[in-house]
Amino acid sequence: MSRFFRSVSDSESETDTSDDESYISDAELSSEAEQDSDEEAQAEEEAPKKSRFLKDAGSDSDEDSDEEFGRKRQVKSALDKRVDEMNKSVLAIENGQKNSDWGLISAEFDKLTASVNKATSGFDAIPTPKFYIKIIVEIEAMLQEAPAKDKAGKKKMSGAASKGLTNMKQKMRKITKQYDQQIAEYKKDPEAFMQEKEEKPESPTPAKGLMAKAQASATIDESELDGFTSVGKRGKTVVPVTADNIFVKLREVMESRGKKNTDRDEQIATLERLLEAAKSPFQKILVLLALIPSRFDINLSMVEHMQIDVWKKVENEVNMLLEILETVPSFVIREDAEELDHEDKDIVPEKGQVINIRGSIISLVERLDDEFTKSLQSIDPHTTDYIDRLRDEPGLYAVLVRAQAYIEKYEMFPILPRIIIRRLEHLYYKPEQVIQSTEKIAKAVLPDYIQSKVITAEEPSQLIHQLCTYLYKQDMSVLRTRAMLCHIYHYALHKHFHTARDMLLMSHLQDSIHQADISTQILYNRTVVQIGLCAFRDGLIKEAHACLQEIQGSGRVKELLAQGVQAQRYGQQTTPELEQLERQRQLPFHMHINLELLECVFLTCSMLLEIPAQAQAGPNNKRTISRPFRRLLDYNERQAFAGPPENTRDHIMSAAKALASGEWERARDYILAIKIWNLMPETQKIKDMLVHKIQEEGLRTYLFTYASYYSTIGLAQLASMFDLPVTRVSAIVAKLIWNEELSASLDQVSQSVVLHRVEPSRLQVLSLQFAEKAANLVDQNERLLTTGRDRQ
């Protein structure tokens, strides 16, 4: 190869050769050049051709390409190279976060951690990069959300992704302990943490990427800014907020709201500065009407709730807005007001002038209430966080009362029922003592000049009555229905069974409730269950069983009362959207009815009704009063070994078997051993009622079971056996004879019961068989109907 076609390094090595070579003749040069060019052409044909776009791919460094295009070679320090590696890892992790690729996230995080460990150790160590802390917090948050996303999406992870997720969980446990102080500082105020000036050792070349951004965002003294203008994000000039340009800045914020690349946090920060700079009431009202919805815009998810500190800010701002409107009556916020064109100028109303501003107080208050409910749904009820969150309810109730007084003052009657139903739904399920304390706290928080003309009662039952009575007069059937159910629930909760039952029957809600929305159907189910519990507390066993049978016998108590999501049966398909809607309908924990207590009451009522009926009908009769109880009893009797009772069901089944054999004392002991009775008010009174009912039903069961073995039996003997007064025993036996349940007669002289043996006629036997077959047919039809509903 000719020396004229060699590389630079080859030409430099040739400089040491003798000068005699420069005197070679032209003929020799031309022949040598021709020979070399032929060799090169042949080599090019044999070598694989490369695309010009892949010219740099085979080179070990950028030196060849730099020299080819005439660029100077760049020299980077080891620190800068590490920073570039960190930035590449950060970008890769962010891409993995978008795709939920845990395998990529795990691999790149290992590289990033190794680079950070190298950079933060040794004689030229740097502080821990702030973007590394940010990445740790983001991955930790993503790990917490991963199970919920997988459950909602019903998507199975790949093997690599699942392995990466497990590895990341183990790594994050160690790393969060190592950087716990810096993580806490970042969570406290992320923006301030990232904007703090990072200390960096002196180096000949400034670092690139995120470290350079953090350094560039360091604060500069104002004395150095003479003649310069502050510039914000995307090169926009930052104009200081003053009282003169508030409306201009507010219009800019409102125009950018909802657009694609709008930074919501920056908008809220701008509105907060505008609120601080606002002087006049008109300025404050307009800024608050923009700031409160902007805070709601932060959380666009239907599942996640608003952060509690943000919620409290919104509550304070709503109170501030209502206070301004109360003290300055010249400004009125109405939904039907026309758009006010103030030409970016402040408005000072004249005396007696009323200026209507378009807005909706009721919408802000309703959204505040909804976010409070969502937060209670999301917080674990068995932690102190739930109790702390529940302490915010009196403040929210005070906001509702304040908004109601404002709406009444300006006669906005079309929207008044919406605020009254919210107030009612915060009170109807509470005992009177809790209602009194809630009203007392609200009255102490609010100013004295806030008075309602529609609701004037202070006593709890009268307050509920006034709230419901006002809603009964409205045109909307949904409000009337919900008010009626809340009123009935309140009566049942406070032991007014007959009033609650009569109101429910007279309203005929049971005929049309299937057409109502799901939340109203849930309220109806809660009301019926509460009526059943009220009947049980009053000792009305049949009425209690009739109220509880439909809900408790369905096998879907949690779902019907909105106290949990029922497990899907085999073959039933559901979608993530339906599951999400089901979770949104769940009631907060403090509104729940104890399901174990509900089951205990239902099974106890079933036992007191089913055991005497079974003894009367005989062992071959399949007619049942309570099918769930009979199913449990049959299962219990089929057990080869019956140990001591462990739970509520076992205690009731053991008591039922003892009662069937006439051992009422054992049945009493089993029933009283159930600890769930302590959750009911007036526990001792309920236990005394249960003992009395067990004695009476034990007597009836004994007479039905052993009547064929006696010709006469003394009333005194029955009284001593069941620890009842003779007069009560006589009344029970007389009632049995009158209802033709027992073939006997009372002998008043000898104070005994004379039992008669009557064989049924052929017609009676056939009638009984026909009745039994008809009952079986009805049972089969009900089962088919229930199975069809479950499949739909």
Side-chain angles (χ1 to χ4, degrees):
M1 184 176 177
S2 173
R3 62 179 179 174
F4 298 105
F5 295 94
R6 290 177 184 170
S7 61
V8 176
S9 59
D10 293 336
S11 64
E12 288 176 356
S13 63
E14 294 288 337
T15 54
D16 296 334
T17 58
S18 64
D19 294 337
D20 294 338
E21 294 180 1
S22 60
Y23 297 104
I24 301 174
S25 64
D26 294 338
E28 290 175 345
L29 284 173
S30 60
S31 62
E32 188 178 347
E34 289 176 1
Q35 184 180 355
D36 291 342
S37 62
D38 293 339
E39 291 176 358
E40 287 180 359
Q42 185 178 358
E44 285 179 1
E45 289 177 1
E46 293 176 358
K49 293 184 178 180
K50 287 186 178 180
S51 172
R52 60 193 179 94
F53 298 105
L54 303 175
K55 193 169 288 185
D56 296 338
S59 61
D60 295 335
S61 65
D62 295 337
E63 292 177 9
D64 296 339
S65 60
D66 289 342
E67 290 173 1
E68 182 181 349
F69 293 104
R71 292 197 304 263
K72 292 184 178 180
R73 180 181 175 187
Q74 294 181 356
V75 180
K76 291 185 178 181
S77 65
L79 176 60
D80 293 337
K81 289 181 180 178
R82 283 178 192 152
V83 171
D84 287 343
E85 290 175 4
M86 293 179 199
N87 289 332
K88 289 178 183 177
S89 299
V90 168
L91 289 175
I93 290 172
E94 289 175 352
N95 291 333
Q97 287 175 337
K98 293 176 185 176
N99 304 324
S100 296
D101 188 352
W102 288 104
L104 175 64
I105 293 173
S106 178
E108 293 297 331
F109 187 75
D110 288 342
K111 293 180 185 177
L112 179 61
T113 304
S115 301
V116 169
N117 290 338
K118 286 180 183 178
T120 54
S121 60
F123 67 93
D124 57 346
I126 63 169
T128 304
K130 295 186 184 298
F131 62 83
Y132 181 61
I133 303 299
K134 180 184 175 185
I135 286 292
I136 291 174
V137 175
E138 289 177 355
I139 294 177
E140 188 179 9
M142 195 174 174
L143 285 172
Q144 293 175 356
E145 296 173 0
K149 284 185 179 178
D150 295 340
K151 193 173 182 182
K154 296 279 183 184
K155 221 172 186 181
K156 195 173 181 182
M157 276 191 184
S158 64
S162 178
K163 187 177 180 181
L165 177 62
T166 307
N167 291 339
M168 283 306 302
K169 286 180 180 177
Q170 295 174 352
K171 292 170 193 168
M172 293 308 292
R173 288 196 196 102
K174 298 178 182 178
I175 290 177
T176 48
K177 291 180 181 178
Q178 184 178 354
Y179 300 102
D180 55 348
Q181 186 176 357
Q182 292 163 305
I183 291 172
E185 291 178 5
Y186 176 82
K187 288 182 177 179
K188 187 176 180 181
D189 192 350
E191 292 183 2
F193 182 83
M194 296 303 295
Q195 287 175 0
E196 286 178 4
K197 187 174 179 180
E198 290 189 318
E199 296 179 5
K200 179 175 175 269
E202 295 180 0
S203 65
T205 309
K208 294 182 179 180
L210 293 170
M211 291 185 67
K213 288 182 182 178
Q215 191 175 14
S217 62
T219 56
I220 304 174
D221 295 337
E222 293 183 1
S223 59
E224 300 178 9
L225 292 177
D226 293 339
F228 293 92
T229 306
S230 301
V231 177
K233 290 184 177 180
R234 301 184 185 91
K236 293 182 180 179
T237 304
V238 177
V239 180
V241 178
T242 61
D244 299 331
N245 63 356
I246 281 180
F247 294 112
V248 177
K249 298 288 293 180
L250 181 61
R251 181 160 43 80
E252 291 177 0
V253 171
M254 296 304 291
E255 288 174 354
S256 64
R257 183 186 173 197
K259 291 186 178 179
K260 187 174 181 181
N261 294 324
T262 303
D263 188 349
R264 296 190 184 94
D265 295 329
E266 184 181 353
Q267 273 193 329
I268 290 173
T270 304
L271 290 170
E272 287 176 345
R273 291 197 299 270
L274 291 177
L275 184 60
E276 292 175 0
K279 302 297 181 184
S280 67
F282 182 67
Q283 292 175 341
K284 291 180 181 178
I285 290 172
L286 290 189
V287 173
L288 285 171
L289 285 177
L291 177 57
I292 296 171
S294 297
R295 290 198 190 277
F296 286 131
D297 287 346
I298 294 178
N299 181 29
L300 298 177
S301 173
M302 295 291 290
V303 181
E304 296 179 0
H305 64 90
M306 179 187 286
Q307 293 181 0
I308 296 176
D309 54 344
V310 178
W311 186 91
K312 290 182 178 179
K313 289 179 182 177
V314 174
E315 183 188 16
N316 294 332
E317 287 158 3
V318 171
N319 275 318
M320 186 191 305
L321 178 60
L322 288 170
E323 184 179 357
I324 295 170
L325 295 171
E326 290 160 1
T327 54
V328 186
S330 300
F331 296 105
V332 180
I333 296 178
R334 291 182 177 273
E335 292 182 354
D336 54 356
E338 295 182 359
E339 190 67 34
L340 187 63
D341 187 11
H342 52 88
E343 298 179 352
D344 293 343
K345 294 180 181 179
D346 194 7
I347 295 179
V348 180
E350 299 176 0
K351 188 175 182 181
Q353 182 184 6
V354 176
I355 298 173
N356 292 325
I357 302 172
R358 179 181 290 180
S360 178
I361 294 292
I362 182 69
S363 298
L364 300 178
V365 174
E366 284 179 338
R367 182 68 188 274
L368 189 68
D369 190 18
D370 291 339
E371 290 294 340
F372 177 75
T373 304
K374 276 170 44 175
S375 67
L376 289 175
Q377 290 171 342
S378 303
I379 298 173
D380 184 1
H382 303 293
T383 60
T384 56
D385 295 340
Y386 190 89
I387 304 298
D388 295 338
R389 186 66 177 132
L390 209 55
R391 290 194 180 99
D392 297 330
E393 188 179 17
L396 174 61
Y397 181 78
V399 173
L400 294 173
V401 174
R402 192 169 197 165
Q404 178 191 334
Y406 177 78
I407 292 169
E408 287 178 19
K409 180 180 178 181
Y410 293 101
E411 299 179 351
M412 303 178 195
F413 295 119
I415 62 174
L416 184 57
R418 289 164 59 186
I419 200 77
I420 288 182
I421 190 66
R422 293 271 177 174
R423 187 175 172 185
L424 177 62
E425 288 177 348
H426 276 275
L427 298 178
Y428 78 94
Y429 61 90
K430 295 178 179 176
E432 289 188 350
Q433 298 86 349
V434 181
I435 295 176
Q436 282 180 343
S437 63
T438 304
E439 285 285 328
K440 187 177 179 182
I441 293 173
K443 194 172 182 181
V445 170
L446 297 176
D448 296 333
Y449 59 80
I450 294 177
Q451 297 293 334
S452 173
K453 298 177 182 178
V454 176
I455 310 299
T456 57
E458 295 184 359
E459 201 268 328
S461 60
Q462 290 296 322
L463 175 63
I464 298 293
H465 180 74
Q466 280 191 0
L467 291 170
C468 294
T469 305
Y470 181 83
L471 292 172
Y472 293 154
K473 302 174 185 176
Q474 304 306 313
D475 297 332
M476 295 180 65
S477 60
V478 177
L479 294 179
R480 293 200 307 270
T481 302
R482 292 189 69 84
M484 175 67 73
L485 291 173
C486 291
H487 207 174
I488 295 170
Y489 189 102
H490 184 76
Y491 275 128
L493 186 65
H494 294 88
K495 291 189 67 176
H496 300 293
F497 168 72
H498 293 94
T499 306
R501 182 198 62 185
D502 294 344
M503 285 181 66
L504 183 63
L505 295 176
M506 289 167 60
S507 65
H508 297 285
L509 287 175
Q510 60 272 21
D511 299 331
S512 59
I513 193 62
H514 61 279
Q515 299 174 353
D517 60 292
I518 295 178
S519 60
T520 306
Q521 292 182 23
I522 290 169
L523 180 57
Y524 174 81
N525 295 336
R526 285 167 52 80
T527 303
V528 171
V529 165
Q530 194 60 242
I531 292 174
L533 293 175
C534 179
F536 179 77
R537 291 199 297 269
D538 286 347
L540 305 171
I541 302 301
K542 281 187 180 179
E543 289 81 355
H545 181 268
C547 291
L548 298 177
Q549 184 174 17
E550 187 175 0
I551 303 293
Q552 193 68 33
S554 65
R556 299 183 299 142
V557 186
K558 280 185 180 180
E559 185 179 353
L560 294 175
L561 297 180
Q563 296 182 190
V565 181
Q566 201 77 14
Q568 296 297 324
R569 298 181 182 178
Y570 178 76
Q572 285 185 339
Q573 294 182 353
T574 185
T575 60
E577 292 78 12
L578 289 176
E579 287 189 358
Q580 184 175 336
L581 288 174
E582 189 71 25
R583 290 191 186 93
Q584 289 173 12
R585 285 194 289 264
Q586 300 304 301
L587 293 172
F589 183 76
H590 68 284
M591 296 177 65
H592 285 192
I593 297 171
N594 193 308
L595 298 181
E596 187 179 355
L597 176 63
L598 187 62
E599 184 188 32
C600 180
V601 169
F602 174 71
L603 292 178
T604 303
C605 294
S606 300
M607 178 192 73
L608 295 174
L609 295 174
E610 185 73 36
I611 297 300
Q614 190 176 357
Q616 180 187 4
N620 297 326
N621 194 339
K622 295 183 180 180
R623 283 189 66 184
T624 58
I625 297 175
S626 174
R627 190 178 294 111
F629 175 81
R630 179 66 71 88
R631 196 183 303 121
L632 288 173
L633 188 61
D634 292 343
Y635 175 78
N636 190 273
E637 288 177 348
R638 287 197 302 267
Q639 297 298 314
F641 172 74
E646 297 178 354
N647 52 29
T648 303
R649 285 186 181 180
D650 292 347
H651 278 87
I652 295 175
M653 293 303 111
S654 300
K657 288 192 285 188
L659 189 63
S661 61
E663 302 178 24
W664 72 273
E665 292 177 340
R666 280 183 60 206
R668 176 198 62 190
D669 295 339
Y670 282 128
I671 292 295
L672 295 183
I674 300 173
K675 296 181 180 179
I676 200 73
W677 302 124
N678 296 326
L679 297 180
M680 299 187 77
E682 300 177 350
T683 306
Q684 190 57 44
K685 188 176 178 181
I686 290 172
K687 288 183 178 180
D688 295 341
M689 180 269 295
L690 285 171
V691 171
H692 187 64
K693 291 291 180 183
I694 289 172
Q695 289 172 335
E696 292 183 356
E697 298 305 326
L699 172 60
R700 296 176 72 241
T701 305
Y702 184 82
L703 290 174
F704 289 142
T705 305
Y706 301 106
S708 58
Y709 298 97
Y710 290 96
S711 58
T712 59
I713 185 170
L715 295 176
Q717 183 182 356
L718 290 174
S720 62
M721 286 173 64
F722 293 94
D723 197 15
L724 289 170
V726 176
T727 54
R728 185 58 186 159
V729 172
S730 177
I732 292 171
V733 173
K735 190 174 181 180
L736 292 175
I737 296 172
W738 175 259
N739 293 333
E740 297 182 355
E741 295 175 346
L742 184 66
S743 299
S745 58
L746 272 173
D747 188 352
Q748 297 290 343
V749 178
S750 61
Q751 289 290 304
S752 62
V753 183
V754 181
L755 299 163
H756 309 298
R757 294 183 181 179
V758 179
E759 294 294 333
S761 64
R762 177 67 178 164
L763 178 62
Q764 290 173 337
V765 171
L766 293 175
S767 300
L768 290 172
Q769 290 177 357
F770 177 76
E772 183 179 350
K773 290 180 180 179
N776 290 335
L777 180 63
V778 171
D779 290 344
Q780 289 177 2
N781 288 338
E782 287 181 356
R783 288 175 184 173
L784 288 173
L785 183 62
T786 306
T787 307
R789 283 178 182 169
D790 291 341
R791 287 178 179 174
Q792 284 177 357

